[in-house]
Amino acid sequence: MGLDNVAVRWPRTGRFYDPVAPAEFVDFGELADVPDVAAPTAALAGYIAKTGSVRATAYTELVDLLLGLDGVLYATEAAAEDEDPVIDPDGCAWIAGGLERFVDGHRGFGESVTFDTVSAVLRAALADGRLAEQQLRWLDGRLDALRDDSGAAPQWSFSRSELGVLAGFYRRCAERGFAVYADS
């Protein structure tokens, strides 16, 4: 099946979270109809417009790497505390901000987002930090952990615009006070 991140009303009322009507995301569909938009970008935008949710499975490793935690889109921190797996509006803002900064930082590397370009963007971002050497060692460990047993890197193939749409979903949730339910 996979992981879906579903926009829900925050806070919940009663036992369950009420899904947000897809009409709150209908403008995402306009991007899906732009002639020169990359197919994955159009597909993601169209899906968000129709469902008010994101099929998040493909993005989990990348988002975890960019934000420096594990299970971000699974809302595992909440699940570990015997709470529902929900990303609150502040968490949505944090995810959106991290993705937006990455998309901006990737501008000089072109539209295609790969493991190598992600590594280059993150290295550039960390190189100027106060604890650059320590952070770069941490990054190397994270990158090595993503490689398979033969040392091959993940075969990520995203576009900047696709990740911009993903960021837009979480930004919309944050701005309108929605949460995201991690449904796996």
Side-chain angles (χ1 to χ4, degrees):
M1 179 169 172
L3 172 68
D4 286 344
N5 275 190
V6 181
V8 294
R9 299 278 172 204
W10 180 260
R12 77 172 176 204
T13 54
R15 291 184 56 196
F16 301 102
Y17 290 92
D18 293 325
V20 171
E24 295 283 354
F25 298 92
V26 71
D27 58 312
F28 279 70
E30 295 169 10
L31 180 59
D33 296 331
V34 174
D36 292 336
V37 70
T41 304
L44 177 60
Y47 187 78
I48 291 170
K50 290 176 186 162
T51 65
S53 64
V54 168
R55 293 197 184 270
T57 305
Y59 306 105
T60 58
E61 283 183 339
L62 175 62
V63 171
D64 286 354
L65 177 62
L66 295 178
L67 299 178
L69 297 174
D70 292 325
V72 172
L73 300 182
Y74 283 93
T76 54
E77 184 177 307
E81 296 171 1
D82 293 326
E83 296 177 13
D84 293 327
V86 174
I87 304 165
D88 66 21
D90 290 340
C92 289
W94 176 69
I95 292 168
L99 287 168
E100 290 161 352
R101 283 187 298 281
F102 173 76
V103 168
D104 286 345
H106 197 282
R107 183 169 282 123
F109 292 91
E111 181 67 10
S112 180
V113 177
T114 66
F115 184 79
D116 291 335
T117 64
V118 169
S119 175
V121 169
L122 292 177
R123 285 182 193 291
L126 295 175
D128 294 332
R130 282 186 334 186
L131 302 172
E133 189 176 313
Q134 178 182 350
Q135 291 178 332
L136 288 169
R137 278 194 311 270
W138 170 86
L139 176 60
D140 287 338
R142 293 289 294 219
L143 293 170
D144 287 343
L146 290 170
R147 296 181 181 280
D148 66 18
D149 292 338
S150 66
Q155 297 301 304
W156 293 339
S157 179
F158 304 107
S159 67
R160 278 183 63 245
S161 59
E162 178 184 3
L163 297 178
V165 169
L166 184 65
F169 171 77
Y170 294 100
R171 179 63 60 204
R172 173 71 50 88
C173 290
E175 289 175 349
R176 297 203 178 162
F178 303 147
V180 169
Y181 184 83
D183 187 18
S184 55

